[in-house]
Amino acid sequence: MTTTTTAPVHTSSSLRVVVAADAESAAGMAAERISALIRSRPTAVLGVATGSTPSPVYRALQTLRRTEGLDLSQASAFALDEYVGIDPRRPQSYRSVIDGEVTRSLGLDPLRVAIPDGSAPDLVEAAHAYEESIRSAGGVDLQILGIGHNGHIGFNEPGSAHDSLTRAVDLTPETRRANARFFDGGIDDVPTQALTQGIGTILRAREIVLLAFGSGKAEAVARALEGSIDRSSPASALRRHQAVTILLDKAAASMVG
Ligand code: PGA
């Protein structure tokens, strides 16, 4: 892996920001961190995200699996979110994405991979059950996160309380537009709701690694790091956590400080 990294641009006792040469090297750093965790504790609990951003992390882990024998077969994983009402067999469901990009390609035991049940008849109960299953697994050791153009983490849109827990939420038109690229029918095909871990749920992870790539994320990243810590910027809540690493490419870092 190339480590043509500049020095961290911000370092506090709890939050480290690294600007990598490019997305691939940032993803490689996240994969190395996961690999180190799994080697020290094979039964570690991972928090896994979907979307374009984490895909290169999973590809880098696949490479480590092949070249270094990284073994994730005893690890557990909890997904951040799922669309409400989507058929889980559709390729756009986060169940399908996690099955393909994480469970099968990284060799996790499917019984130890959990995704919020967006098809549950009672979403309040499903949300509660999801919180309980994270808790009974001992909590998430390392959470991988992306960030939305509007600063969302998981599907916690601006306005979400920083102590929110897993719940059903409405997706903003902006988020549905951003995700339309994954759906054949465009924005009208994108579900209007999701079941997502809350910001408070995410903050319970013992360690968090957020990645952001491209100039389209620059403003959300700068607001999260330097704006006020409030509900208008869900990702700003990460500044309250004790162990966060933010891995950026140059474009995503371009409006920071
Ligand atoms: P993306 O989504 O990685 O597909 O840009 C990130 C997010 O919305 O959290």
Side-chain angles (χ1 to χ4, degrees), residues 50-54 146-148 152 154 181-182 217:
T50 48
S52 305
T53 307
I147 181 172
H152 74 202
R181 68 191 193 281
F182 298 116
K217 301 290 175 70

Side-chain angles (χ1 to χ4, degrees), residues 227-248:
S228 52
I229 300 177
D230 63 28
R231 287 179 180 219
S232 67
S233 168
S236 69
L238 298 174
R239 279 156 52 205
R240 296 200 164 109
H241 191 277
Q242 290 311 299
V244 177
T245 303
I246 312 271
L247 298 173
L248 306 172

Side-chain angles (χ1 to χ4, degrees), residues 50-51 79-88 90-97 115-120 123 152 154-155 157 167-172 175-183 186-187 189-196:
T50 48
L80 275 175
D81 42 25
E82 175 61 289
Y83 292 113
V84 165
I86 196 167
D87 182 336
R90 281 190 74 181
Q92 294 87 355
S93 79
Y94 286 171
R95 172 164 293 283
S96 295
V97 173
I115 290 126
D117 184 2
S119 310
L123 292 170
H152 74 202
F155 272 132
E157 304 285 31
R167 69 208 184 288
V169 295
D170 294 331
L171 301 180
T172 61
T175 294
R176 293 179 66 227
R177 244 189 322 274
N179 287 10
R181 68 191 193 281
F182 298 116
F183 287 81
I187 186 167
D189 203 27
V190 182
T192 56
Q193 285 197 310
L195 195 57
T196 184

Side-chain angles (χ1 to χ4, degrees), residues 2-96:
T2 22
T3 44
T4 41
T5 316
T6 59
V9 291
H10 284 257
T11 309
S12 66
S13 55
S14 58
L15 189 138
R16 198 168 66 108
V17 181
V18 177
V19 185
D22 53 28
E24 201 184 323
S25 26
M29 289 174 210
E32 289 290 350
R33 178 65 204 113
I34 293 171
S35 171
L37 172 68
I38 296 292
R39 284 176 204 283
S40 70
R41 205 145 72 78
T43 57
V45 179
L46 303 175
V48 289
T50 48
S52 305
T53 307
S55 295
V57 177
Y58 305 138
R59 284 199 297 274
L61 284 170
Q62 258 183 291
T63 303
L64 291 176
R65 189 178 177 220
R66 211 173 44 243
T67 58
E68 296 181 12
L70 175 66
D71 179 6
L72 286 132
S73 63
Q74 295 178 66
S76 301
F78 286 89
L80 275 175
D81 42 25
E82 175 61 289
Y83 292 113
V84 165
I86 196 167
D87 182 336
R89 290 165 302 188
R90 281 190 74 181
Q92 294 87 355
S93 79
Y94 286 171
R95 172 164 293 283
S96 295

Side-chain angles (χ1 to χ4, degrees), residues 130-179:
Y130 203 65
E131 285 288 330
E132 278 310 305
S133 60
I134 296 174
R135 210 187 311 268
S136 62
V140 169
D141 291 305
L142 192 157
Q143 176 68 53
I144 294 291
L145 285 182
I147 181 172
H149 297 90
N150 61 4
H152 74 202
I153 50 175
F155 272 132
N156 296 281
E157 304 285 31
S160 301
H162 286 188
D163 61 357
S164 52
L165 299 179
T166 302
R167 69 208 184 288
V169 295
D170 294 331
L171 301 180
T172 61
E174 184 182 13
T175 294
R176 293 179 66 227
R177 244 189 322 274
N179 287 10

